[in-house]
Amino acid sequence: MTERVEGHGGQLALAALRAHGVREMFTLSGGHVFPLYDAAHTAGFPLYDVRHEQSAVFAAEAVAKLNRRPGLAVLTAGPGVTNGVSGLTSAFFNASPVLVLGGRAPQFRWGSGSLQEMDHLPLVAPVTKHAETVFGADDIPRAVSAALTTALTPHRGPVFLDFPLEAIFSVGDAALPEVVAPAPIEADPEAVARAAGLIAAAHRPVIIAGSDVYAGDAVDALRAAAEALRVPVFTNGMGRGALPPSHPLAFAKARRVALSGADVVVVVGTPLDFRLAFGDFGDARVVHVVDAPSQRATHVTPAASPAGDLRLILTAFAEHPGDRVDHDDWVARLREAEDAAKARDAEAMAAETDPIRPARVYGELRRVLAPDAITIGDGGDFVSYAGKYLEPAQPGTWLDPGPYGCLGTGMGYAMGARVSHPDRQVCVLMGDGAAGFSLMDVESLVRQKLPVVIVVGNNGIWGLEKHPMRAMYGYDVAADLQPGLRYDKVVEALGGAGETVEKAGDLAPALERAFASGVPYLVNVLTDPADAYPRSSNLA
């Protein structure tokens, strides 16, 4: 029997949200969306508020990424929505199932100059899977349910709805749509068999697994395929930790050796973008495995590109019935390169230098982070070192801005992570440049009793810009910050705690105090501005 719901627009929306497993709301207060707050308050539905709308969207995205379910942000009309567009865009690039509900000026007075009157849809449509204005209260459950189904359907991504004042404040009566999980996309069996055959026949294959492996709940299938075919695995994004660092087929440090020597590169659940040399691996043949046909690369021609449910495709790889080339010598060669790189990293992570080198920060963090800690990267140069030196032990524990590269995710991601995992360590790794985007939202964490540890790599510069600009032009501009700023004092002023660390030997006790504090705690580490993460330009 179809369930019917009645009430004002906020209550109608909440009924549909709860049916789809939404468990919390992130917002910044605004009058256009009061009925959604009333519904949440009356029903005891958790509501968390922030100091900037982008943090609300980033918090919702963290929930979506970590839990593989919808995250919800509620934004007031006009500037509330426009302030959230960067968060929406990051969710779009990261394939995160985020629903943003926006307020909207009254339709009956449209064009008369109401407060914050603007049409949001042309702005958000390019960075969402679906964007719609819902003009009647009775239509709200249908619209919310349809939007959430779209968000969860591979290739996943954000959706947007806004409600004119008269729609959200009005009382309605409507059927609550049945929740139907998206059906798995069946890949072309011939494409799957062709890809499996290429991998099995390769002499030096490599797998690179990305975020969609975790989002598609395909971690176990990835491990089975790698073990059955004896293929070394590298990861990026939320694919990190899919194989624990101790697994004999898990690699992180030997990527250059692997990609320069491979004859088949299998990229699973991540785009062939700048992070992967745009899919150019020399003479190697490329197998690109994606969760939907829309994600197939168009700028390169892979040897095979099966598109569909990643669990089904990877399981088929594991069950490939044909002959398989022995890869033991290849795996051993990569293990030798991996071990040599780890030895070099261990030396860097123990360096007793003044000023402190970023590698030493991560050496100390490796000692205090629990296996299930949620680690969040918000920054450029400093966070690049995190990708090099930290090796997540479990899948679903690593959050970074993703391919869009948007700074300011840190405090929103921290809020979403703490709400999702109240009993785990949550550690934000933040450059001093990134600190300028969202550090004020420490107040939101303090006020709502959401403790996290924030480690700021404070080198007083925009590291990813200063060093390349000097190399290109012989000078740099707009790349300096004030050296030695006391970001820990900012956090103290907002109700948290913190300290500044200038000596490498003081890092360990500072981190121990931070994780034991039970409040938002910032460790402000003065790092060497001359120490730049080695990289080629990512601008092309």
Side-chain angles (χ1 to χ4, degrees), residues 256-533:
R256 180 171 296 179
V257 175
L259 294 181
S260 63
D263 57 357
V264 171
V265 176
V266 187
V267 178
V268 185
T270 193
L272 300 176
D273 59 18
F274 69 92
R275 297 170 298 172
L276 295 177
F278 303 100
D280 183 358
F281 304 115
D283 295 331
R285 305 181 79 181
V286 178
V287 174
H288 193 204
V289 184
V290 294
D291 64 3
S294 64
Q295 299 309 296
R296 286 189 172 117
T298 58
H299 59 284
V300 296
T301 304
S305 188
D309 187 286
L310 297 183
R311 288 171 298 184
L312 300 179
I313 294 171
L314 290 167
T315 298
F317 286 178
E319 297 172 351
H320 176 63
D323 294 336
R324 303 172 186 185
V325 172
D326 186 285
H327 301 143
D328 286 351
D329 288 347
W330 171 237
V331 173
R333 175 180 161 190
L334 294 185
R335 183 57 58 192
E336 183 179 353
E338 182 86 2
D339 290 345
K342 284 186 175 180
R344 292 191 297 271
D345 285 355
E347 183 177 346
M349 287 188 288
E352 289 283 351
T353 60
D354 182 14
I356 301 168
R357 299 185 68 180
R360 178 62 186 269
V361 180
Y362 292 110
E364 298 300 337
L365 273 168
R366 286 170 65 107
R367 295 184 177 93
V368 297
L369 288 174
D372 64 351
I374 307 297
T375 308
I376 297 163
D378 183 12
D381 194 70
F382 184 64
V383 173
S384 295
Y385 287 95
K388 177 177 174 66
Y389 293 115
L390 296 184
E391 298 180 40
Q394 299 179 11
T397 59
W398 174 268
L399 292 173
D400 63 26
Y404 189 53
C406 183
L407 298 187
T409 60
M411 294 301 94
Y413 276 7
M415 179 177 283
R418 173 53 69 220
V419 168
S420 298
H421 296 292
D423 298 324
R424 295 193 193 181
Q425 292 175 337
V426 175
C427 181
V428 183
L429 310 169
M430 184 177 284
D432 52 340
F437 285 78
S438 69
L439 200 58
M440 191 69 191
D441 259 312
V442 165
E443 189 276 334
S444 305
L445 299 173
V446 169
R447 177 166 38 84
Q448 293 166 106
K449 296 180 173 58
L450 301 171
V452 302
V453 171
I454 307 158
V455 179
V456 171
N458 185 352
N459 61 3
I461 61 172
W462 292 98
L464 287 189
E465 287 70 36
K466 187 178 182 72
H467 296 292
M469 191 172 183
R470 277 196 167 273
M472 293 172 71
Y473 297 111
Y475 67 88
D476 65 88
V477 296
D480 288 308
L481 303 168
Q482 292 185 54
L485 276 183
R486 296 296 301 272
Y487 297 101
D488 54 313
K489 294 295 184 182
V490 175
V491 170
E492 288 181 7
L494 295 172
E499 58 187 286
T500 287
V501 177
E502 300 183 45
K503 302 292 183 182
D506 296 332
L507 277 167
L511 291 171
E512 290 171 4
R513 285 189 289 272
F515 282 106
S517 70
V519 298
Y521 196 109
L522 188 145
V523 181
N524 184 41
V525 186
L526 303 188
T527 57
D528 188 353
D531 197 328
Y533 189 78

